[in-house]
Each structure stands twice: as structure tokens, then as C-alpha cells.
């Protein structure tokens, strides 16, 4: 198990809503109900641990109300794309938990990974399935220039925002908007062809000016994304009601099967070694032996992006960040031995997971029942991942088979559905 060395921002101290912990045993009438000790363990998953937003020291305007509003507008603006028809909300659909229920995202073209939900992402130290970005604002710059997502270039976007949202930009960023007259319509160092040629012809000042506006576009979008938070679920209500000895009502009741599922989740099935805390994730990367989709190139996950994170001009230590390089502990102490990350992907949050099929980084698994089957068998996946990745001495699946019986499988699925 590979643990992170540092939290960029410490999790908000668990909010104590459990003053009456000890009196719990008095009300636990049902033999199935969680014991006081179990409830204490369960309270780490409670949503109240997410009461406070973590500060983002690399984004000075992350709490600015005007920035949140501009970010919201840009998030839904389809003109921020090469074909005037893709916005962040094309894939991150608000009515749908900010994801799209597709195996892989579809923007101006079809991508190779599944759209991730946004609620709660602000607590994560690394973004994307492989964690190739280290802040929410830097993450937002990725899809904008991705050839399959927005398909735009930073010069186009910087010019567009400064001509259509100039007053808002000026008030958020202290009237710092640069002159855009000499900028080409299309230019980016990351987009081969005309865009790269145009980029290379810009002066270094011109490149810098465009990068500043581009980074600021990411920062306002991130400010908006920080307002998208996970919802309270039935498991939260059950824990709170039990600990506060409120009567359990329709809104907070859990069946014996669901409670048994939680016991497995946090016990014998060891799910909570990775799916831990109030978002049910350790924010780390693991190879869980998810097979490559048929006919696709094996996706090596975090293994491929270690050097990319470190050299990204838009990372926490870079000149477009508002943090001093010394404050970027997460980046500074990042585990850089790439080989341990072959085929490793970020542990996803499990909040509202039953609404998010298909599952895994490329939608390889269709139902929760099949997810549990995968964890139960694990061994099959191990050899699958070995032949898929074909990397000698590389890291393979961390899972060991759980060999769950049918009742246990049903219990785990039932528990996941309470989230
Ligand atoms: C074409 C569909 C598509 C569009 C458009 C899109 N995304 Fe995504 N989003 C994805 C996919 C797919 C991933 C995972 C990609 C990967 O891991 O390589 C993702 C990942 C993310 C994540 C990472 C969440 C996490 O927990 O790590 C965030 C945040 C995000 N997108 C925000 C945005 C924003 C902001 C925009 C607009 C600027 C946007 N996305 C546009 C499909 C899309
Ligand atoms: C070793 C760490 C680890 C353990 C243990 C673990 N998971 Fe996961 N889980 C992950 C990772 C990593 C992924 C994403 C894998 C991928 O896409 O390649 C994942 C994905 C999932 C998903 C899909 C979520 C989504 O949005 O796609 C579900 C559901 C899930 N796990 C439930 C469980 C359950 C239930 C258990 C216990 C039986 C468990 N996990 C044990 C790390 C773990």
C-alpha cells in the first residue's frame, strides 16, 4: 500500500456532531444496528468532515464571488471550443452529478477515459484519473486544449474571454488585461501544426501574457467548481441519527443487508483501505487490475505522467501559481518512482456511485454487481493486467481475491447504493 507523504491542505478537522456518542447503546434497539465502536469508525465517512473548503494557496481568487460567477459562465459557454458546441457541461452535466454516464467522454471527438464527477474534487491533491495535474485551476486548462474535448487553443480562449467578459475580468484581476491586438487567433505550444508555429513566432512576452490570461481562465473556473459539493446521503443521515440518538426515520433508515454491507466494506472486504474518509478515497493511485478495453492501447495510468506533473508550467510551483514554490509540499514530496505506478489510477470517490455507471477509468465495468465480482475474483484480473501491460517486474494489481459468497456480494452492492 503506497501512502501519500503529505496533504497539500489538511482535511478539515472532523466536525464533532457526536457529543452523545456514549449514550448510543441506549437507543440501538435492533440487533443489526452498528455498535458504538462501529459508529465511531463510521463517523470518518460522514459528510460533516467536508464542512470547510480547503484553501487553494495556488489560486488567490478561489473564494472571490465575482470569480465564481465568471467561472460559472465559462463552464457553460460552448464558444470555448473549436466547433462552438462543447462546454465543460457537455460532459460534466449538472443534472447528472456533473458526469455523463458514458464509458468515455465525448467532446469534439471521442476520448479514451471516462468523465469524472466534480463534486468534492476540490479536496483532491491530484486531478484526472492519473493525477497529471496538481490543482483544480491547472486541471481546467487540460480539456480546453485537448483535441478530443474542447479542441481550442489558449490564444483563441484568452482573446475570446478578454473580448466577451472584459469588465468581469478586469474587476477580478485588478485591470491587468493585456493588449490582444498582436495575438494570433490560434496559438498553443501543445497543439501541433499552425497553432504551434504561431506560438513559436510570438515574443516571449506575448507568450507569457497569453499564459497569464489562460491560467486566470482556469482559476475562475476552479472558483466555480469549488462550489460544487457532494450531497448528504442516506448513510450520512443514518450515522448522524444513530450518534445523536435521533429516532431513525424513513430518511435515515438502513436495512440489515445495507448495514452488513458496511461491515464488509470497512472490515473483511478491506474496501476502506483505499476508499476511506468522507469522500471514500485515499486520493492515491492504485493498480486494481482493471483490464484494457478490447482493442485499445493499454493505459499505463500514473506511470506515464510523473515527469509531466513535475515539469508542468502551470503546476503549484510554477510562475502562474499564486503559491510560493516552498509551499507546494504535495509536489515537493511527490513519489517520483514511476515504476510503482504502472497501471495505477486515482481511487475514485464512492459518493453517489450508484448513479454513475459505467465504472472505472474507461467505463470497463457496467454494473455495481460486476464491480463486486471483480473485487471478489481479483486473481483473474491480475493475470489479465499482467498480459495487458506486459511489463516485466512492473507493478500489478494490488488486490487479492476476496472470494465473497452471494449474500456478501449483495450486501456490498446494497451498501454502495446508500451512498
Ligand atoms: C469531452 C468531455 C469532457 C469535457 C468537455 C470536459 N471534461 Fe472534464 N473530464 C473528462 C474526462 C474524460 C476526465 C478524465 C480524463 C483523464 O483522466 O484523462 C475529466 C476529468 C475532469 C476533472 C478531474 C476530477 C478529478 O477528480 O480528478 C475535472 C475537475 C474536470 N474534468 C473539469 C472539467 C472542466 C472545468 C472542463 C471545462 C474546462 C471539463 N472538465 C471539460 C471529460 C470532459
Ligand atoms: C487497493 C485500493 C482499492 C481497494 C482495496 C478497493 N478499491 Fe475500489 N477502486 C480503487 C481504484 C484505484 C479504482 C479505479 C480503478 C480504475 O479505474 O482503474 C476503484 C474503483 C472502484 C469503483 C468504481 C467507481 C467509479 O466511479 O468508477 C467502485 C464502485 C469501487 N472501487 C468499490 C470498491 C469496493 C466495494 C471495494 C471493496 C470490495 C473496493 N473498491 C476496494 C481502489 C481500491
Amino acid at each position: 500500500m503506497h501512502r501519500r507523504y503529505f496533504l497539500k491542505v489538511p482535511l478539515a478537522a472532523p466536525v464533532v456532531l457526536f457529543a452523545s456518542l456514549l449514550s448510543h447503546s441506549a437507543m440501538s434497539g435492533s440487533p443489526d444496528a452498528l455498535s458504538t465502536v462501529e459508529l465511531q469508525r463510521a463517523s470518518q465517512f460522514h459528510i460533516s468532515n467536508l464542512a470547510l473548503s480547503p484553501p487553494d494557496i495556488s489560486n488567490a481568487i478561489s473564494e472571490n464571488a465575482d470569480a465564481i460567477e465568471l467561472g460559472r459562465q465559462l463552464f457553460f459557454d460552448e464558444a470555448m471550443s473549436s466547433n462552438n458546441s462543447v462546454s465543460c457541461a457537455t460532459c460534466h452535466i449538472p443534472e447528472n452529478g456533473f458526469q455523463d454516464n458514458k464509458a468515455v467522454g465525448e467532446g469534439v471527438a471521442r476520448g479514451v477515459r471516462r468523465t469524472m464527477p466534480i463534486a468534492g474534487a476540490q479536496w483532491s491533491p491530484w486531478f484526472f484519473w492519473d493525477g497529471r495535474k496538481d490543482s483544480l485551476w491547472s486541471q481546467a486548462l487540460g480539456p480546453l486544449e485537448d483535441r478530443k474535448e474542447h479542441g481550442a487553443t489558449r490564444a483563441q480562449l484568452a482573446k475570446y474571454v478578454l473580448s466577451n467578459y472584459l469588465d468581469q475580468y478586469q474587476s477580478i484581476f485588478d485591470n491587468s488585461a493585456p493588449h490582444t491586438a498582436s495575438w494570433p487567433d490560434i496559438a498553443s505550444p501543445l497543439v501541433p501544426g499552425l497553432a504551434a508555429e504561431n506560438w513559436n513566432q510570438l515574443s516571449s512576452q506575448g507568450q507569457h501574457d497569453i499564459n497569464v490570461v489562460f491560467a486566470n481562465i482556469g482559476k475562475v473556473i476552479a472558483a466555480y467548481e469549488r462550489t460544487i459539493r457532494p450531497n448528504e446521503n442516506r448513510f450520512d443521515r443514518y450515522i448522524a441519527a444513530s450518534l445523536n440518538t435521533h429516532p431513525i426515520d424513513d430518511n435515515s433508515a438502513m436495512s440489515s443487508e445495507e448495514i452488513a454491507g458496511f461491515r464488509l466494506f470497512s472490515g473483511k472486504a478491506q474496501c476502506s483501505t483505499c476508499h476511506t474518509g468522507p469522500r471514500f478515497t485515499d486520493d492515491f493511485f492504485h493498480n486494481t487490475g482493471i483490464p484494457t478495453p478490447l482493442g485499445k492501447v493499454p493505459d499505463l495510468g500514473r506511470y506515464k505522467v510523473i515527469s509531466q506533473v513535475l515539469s508542468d508550467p502551470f503546476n503549484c510551483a510554477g510562475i502562474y501559481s499564486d503559491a510560493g514554490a516552498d509551499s507546494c509540499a504535495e509536489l515537493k514530496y511527490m513519489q517520483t518512482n514511476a515504476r510503482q505506478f504502472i497501471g495505477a489510477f486515482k481511487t475514485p470517490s464512492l459518493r453517489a456511485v450508484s448513479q454513475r455507471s459505467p465504472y472505472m477509468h474507461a467505463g470497463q465495468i457496467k454494473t455495481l454487481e460486476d464491480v463486486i465480482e471483480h473485487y471478489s475474483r481479483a486473481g483473474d484480473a491480475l493475470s489479465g493486467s499482467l498480459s495487458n501491460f506486459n511489463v516485466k517486474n512492473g507493478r500489478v494489481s494490488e488486490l487479492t481475491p476476496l472470494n465473497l459468497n452471494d449474500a456478501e456480494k449483495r450486501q456490498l452492492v446494497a451498501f454502495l447504493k446508500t451512498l
Side-chain angles (χ1 to χ4, degrees), residues 13-54:
V15 173
V16 185
L17 44 71
F18 315 126
S20 50
L21 198 64
L22 292 174
S23 63
H24 165 69
S25 48
M27 55 71 68
S28 55
S30 148
D32 296 321
L34 296 182
S35 70
T36 304
V37 171
E38 286 174 314
L39 278 168
Q40 217 160 6
R41 197 186 314 148
S43 67
Q44 63 142 318
F45 297 103
H46 194 268
I47 194 165
S48 59
N49 296 295
L50 299 176
L52 304 174
S53 281

Side-chain angles (χ1 to χ4, degrees), residues 1 114-115 117 129 264-265 269-275 282 284-291 343-350 353 356-365 367-368 371-372 375-376 398-399 402 404 412-413 415-416:
M1 202 74 19
R114 199 183 107 224
T115 305
W129 283 103
L264 284 166
F265 185 89
Q270 295 168 33
C271 312
S272 59
T273 51
C274 301
H275 296 285
D282 58 357
F284 204 66
F285 304 90
H286 301 277
N287 182 329
T288 53
I290 305 299
F345 295 87
K346 183 163 105 168
T347 309
S349 169
L350 297 181
V353 70
R356 271 203 301 276
S357 66
Y359 300 105
M360 308 304 172
H361 62 271
Q364 292 98 320
I365 302 187
T367 64
L368 285 179
V371 169
I372 298 303
Y375 282 111
S376 184
E398 293 171 31
L399 303 180
L402 299 169
L404 302 165
L412 274 168
V413 170
F415 169 66
L416 291 176

Side-chain angles (χ1 to χ4, degrees), residues 96-376:
N96 215 9
F98 287 89
Q99 53 90 51
D100 55 12
N101 289 112
K102 292 178 179 169
V104 296
E106 290 171 37
V108 298
R110 211 173 128 82
V112 293
R113 290 200 185 139
R114 199 183 107 224
T115 305
M116 305 172 88
I118 290 179
Q122 57 162 318
W123 278 274
S124 193
W126 309 109
F127 299 84
F128 287 123
W129 283 103
D130 52 16
R132 66 185 179 278
K133 288 289 192 170
D134 70 344
S135 70
L136 205 47
W137 66 267
S138 181
Q139 187 287 329
L141 308 178
L144 293 172
E145 290 194 313
D146 187 295
R147 295 298 87 197
K148 293 178 171 155
E149 299 194 333
H150 293 243
T153 67
R154 63 190 68 177
Q156 171 201 338
L157 295 167
K159 279 177 101 163
Y160 172 76
V161 169
L162 292 185
S163 52
N164 289 272
Y165 298 94
L166 184 63
D167 291 348
Q168 283 164 280
Y169 185 96
Q170 292 290 49
S171 85
I172 298 163
F173 297 107
D174 299 330
N175 295 314
S176 63
H179 292 292
T180 63
S182 64
W183 295 357
D185 289 336
I186 291 176
S188 166
L190 300 186
V191 181
L194 179 64
E197 284 165 32
N198 286 345
W199 182 260
N200 292 333
Q201 276 162 22
L202 279 161
S203 65
S204 52
Q205 185 62 45
Q207 294 178 344
H208 177 71
D209 288 347
I210 292 174
N211 279 343
V212 169
V213 179
F214 189 45
N216 286 344
I217 290 173
K219 288 176 185 177
V220 297
I221 294 177
Y224 165 63
E225 289 176 294
R226 284 164 60 91
T227 66
I228 304 167
R229 305 170 66 95
N231 294 322
E232 187 188 51
N233 60 32
R234 193 148 52 83
F235 185 51
D236 292 319
R237 290 191 292 271
Y238 172 82
I239 297 170
S242 306
L243 286 167
N244 290 324
T245 63
H246 295 316
I248 305 265
D249 57 16
D250 285 354
N251 215 9
S252 55
M254 281 186 41
S255 68
S256 328
E257 188 165 65
E258 291 162 345
I259 291 174
F262 170 68
R263 289 204 171 95
L264 284 166
F265 185 89
S266 58
K268 179 184 154 189
Q270 295 168 33
C271 312
S272 59
T273 51
C274 301
H275 296 285
T276 180
R279 287 176 299 120
F280 296 82
T281 170
D282 58 357
D283 290 316
F284 204 66
F285 304 90
H286 301 277
N287 182 329
T288 53
I290 305 299
T292 301
L294 221 60
K296 298 284 183 220
V297 184
D299 188 335
L300 299 184
R302 186 146 180 87
Y303 170 74
K304 296 271 272 188
V305 303
I306 298 292
S307 52
Q308 191 180 328
V309 181
L310 293 169
S311 62
D312 189 334
F314 297 106
N315 70 19
C316 175
I319 56 171
Y320 303 103
S321 160
D322 300 320
D326 282 349
S327 357
C328 302
E330 199 76 52
L331 197 65
K332 198 164 154 188
Y333 297 103
M334 171 177 143
Q335 295 183 31
T336 55
N337 171 12
R339 289 193 75 80
Q340 67 168 311
F341 293 115
I342 293 170
F345 295 87
K346 183 163 105 168
T347 309
S349 169
L350 297 181
R351 283 192 171 270
V353 70
S354 64
Q355 288 146 39
R356 271 203 301 276
S357 66
Y359 300 105
M360 308 304 172
H361 62 271
Q364 292 98 320
I365 302 187
K366 292 212 166 46
T367 64
L368 285 179
E369 285 75 12
D370 290 343
V371 169
I372 298 303
E373 200 58 50
H374 169 77
Y375 282 111
S376 184

